[in-house]
């Protein structure tokens, strides 16, 4: 029990730091629904907040702790986990681990190895480099849906004991929000909402 409590405590506190960054990142995508340049400009304006010698290492440490403790919690509870909400929380968490590991490594490689600006163009490039769109469209959509679903499960457990209806409503609202937001982000990245221009050096990373 103490080990389980410790895992969940570390998971919860690392999540607070990550959620602050994710909220800023999602706001960037929300602003970016107006256009590619708006997305790039807003990211350039907010980058100093998290891409600095203090916050960025802290964020990376929290991401590692979040993934490690999350995976341990899923494995540890596999025999005692019951009910649709509990399994939804586990599977959404596993997808987030998969996404974060891939996305963070890709961004770091893009910055430090490929010497690319990892802005909108970097995120959207895979969708505009056939046949990789078949991977990246569901990849991004499911990441946003999984994030909101995971938060919905946390809200459900937090509220359910006090008010079962409130817990169920919060769960449903967050899932629907994730589907809508995920669809909007993919629509923006794929060029459905506005014209998207991806420079050749970004597309070249998908040529073998």
């Amino acid at each position: 029990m103490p080990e389980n409590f410790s895992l969940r405590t570390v998971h919860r506190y690392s999540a607070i730091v990550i959620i602050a960054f994710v909220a800023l990142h999602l706001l960037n995508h929300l602003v970016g629904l107006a256009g590619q340049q708006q997305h790039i400009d807003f990211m350039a304006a907010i980058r100093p907040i998290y891409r600095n010698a203090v916050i960025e290492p802290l964020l990376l440490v929290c991401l590692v702790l979040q993934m490690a403790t999350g995976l341990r919690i899923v494995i540890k509870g596999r025999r005692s986990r019951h009910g649709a909400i509990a399994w939804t929380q586990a599977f959404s968490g596993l997808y987030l681990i998969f996404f974060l590991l891939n996305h963070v490594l890709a961004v770091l490689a893009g910055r430090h190895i490929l010497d690319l600006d990892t802005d909108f163009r970097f995120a959207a490039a895979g969708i505009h480099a056939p046949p990789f769109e078949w991977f990246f469209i569901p990849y991004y959509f499911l990441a946003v849906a999984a994030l909101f679903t995971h938060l919905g499960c946390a809200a459900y457990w937090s509220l359910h004991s006090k008010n079962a209806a409130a817990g169920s409503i919060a769960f449903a609202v967050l899932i629907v929000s994730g589907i809508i937001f995920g669809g909007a982000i993919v629509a923006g990245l794929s060029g459905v909402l506005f014209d998207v221009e991806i420079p050749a050096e970004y597309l070249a990373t998908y040529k073998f």
Side-chain angles (χ1 to χ4, degrees), residues 44-106:
I46 64 172
R47 268 181 176 170
I49 298 173
Y50 58 84
R51 191 177 284 189
N52 58 66
V54 176
I55 302 300
E56 187 170 47
L58 174 63
L59 182 59
L60 290 173
V61 168
C62 288
L63 283 168
V64 171
L65 289 173
Q66 187 73 4
M67 290 186 285
T69 55
L71 184 60
R72 178 61 179 153
I73 289 168
V74 170
I75 294 172
K76 189 176 177 64
R78 67 189 184 280
R79 298 186 186 279
S80 58
R81 188 172 293 109
H82 300 289
I85 302 293
W87 281 105
T88 298
Q89 188 172 26
F91 282 119
S92 61
L94 285 174
Y95 187 82
L96 287 173
I97 292 171
F98 163 76
F99 176 81
L100 287 172
L101 187 60
N102 280 276
H103 194 61
V104 171
L105 289 177

Side-chain angles (χ1 to χ4, degrees), residues 121-134:
R121 297 164 295 181
F122 183 81
I127 297 179
H128 297 270
F132 292 97
E133 71 272 22
W134 295 103

Side-chain angles (χ1 to χ4, degrees), residues 6 96 136 198 206:
S6 178
L96 287 173
F136 282 103
I198 309 297
Y206 294 95

Side-chain angles (χ1 to χ4, degrees), residues 114 116 122 125 132 200-208:
L114 301 176
L116 294 172
F122 183 81
F132 292 97
E201 60 268 28
Y202 290 87
L203 297 175
T205 62
Y206 294 95
K207 296 185 185 300
F208 299 98

Side-chain angles (χ1 to χ4, degrees), residues 18-19 22-23 25-26 66 92-93 95-96 99-100 140-154 174-175 178 181 185:
I18 295 168
I19 288 171
V22 169
H25 201 56
L26 290 176
Q66 187 73 4
S92 61
Y95 187 82
L96 287 173
F99 176 81
L100 287 172
Y140 285 124
F141 172 77
L142 289 174
V144 179
L147 171 65
F148 278 81
T149 298
H150 205 64
L151 292 174
C153 292
L174 281 165
I175 286 182
F181 206 172
I185 288 175

Side-chain angles (χ1 to χ4, degrees), residues 156-166:
Y156 174 86
W157 295 122
S158 177
L159 296 171
H160 186 73
S161 59
K162 302 171 185 175
N163 187 322

